[in-house]
Amino acid sequence: MTAVGGTRVTLDEAGHRRCADTVWNDKGGAPGGGTSVLMRRPRYQDGVREVTGAKRGVPDISLSASAAGSTMVWFTHAGRGAWVPMLGTSLAAPLFGGIVALAAQRAGHGLGAVNPALYRLGRDGGVRDITTGDNATEGTSGYRAGRGYDLASGLGTVDAGKLVPALATPE
């Protein structure tokens, strides 16, 4: 299972990033993050044990979730439909699922568990570090983003143009 956190992406009119992504935290909400109370740290997180300790750390990766960069989706309920903004990890998780589906299509087969590959591939495989922002909300202190893996953004966000071929290619 891949835990997906949220970012705020700032694009210009042509769709290019105007600045580095930051951890999503706005009036639309903020992503969770932290260490599990029950799950032990999986082997693929051994390289980030100084952050997670003996427990499973989340998120693993983060994608666009801010209300400022929401995506419009057609939502139907009780026979009626409307365009509504989709944001939060309800947007970020399917975005990541789509990226994994593209990689599986390119590979010509299912990929199985992708987390070991995410932690192994790192920057060269299309992972972009997020070093600013936090996931604190009213009443919680949350976690701050920093260099490398953190409990606010995980490994960071992705460059799908690099990650798709990296996931599709066996070790």
Side-chain angles (χ1 to χ4, degrees), residues 45-141:
Q45 282 192 327
D46 283 351
V48 297
R49 71 174 55 102
E50 69 280 356
V51 177
T52 65
K55 299 296 184 175
R56 166 79 162 104
V58 296
D60 294 304
I61 202 80
S62 293
L63 276 86
S64 180
S66 174
S70 63
T71 298
M72 298 301 287
V73 298
W74 184 255
F75 183 78
T76 58
H77 178 70
R80 296 189 176 170
W83 287 102
V84 297
M86 180 65 65
L87 59 121
T89 53
S90 295
L91 171 61
L95 287 174
F96 186 70
I99 291 168
V100 173
L102 289 171
Q105 181 179 28
R106 182 174 178 149
H109 56 78
L111 301 179
V114 298
N115 287 356
L118 286 174
Y119 284 82
R120 183 182 69 252
L121 290 169
R123 308 293 168 250
D124 293 339
V127 176
R128 299 170 69 139
D129 199 8
I130 296 175
T131 59
T132 60
D134 64 68
N135 60 5
T137 58
E138 189 174 323
T140 69
S141 58

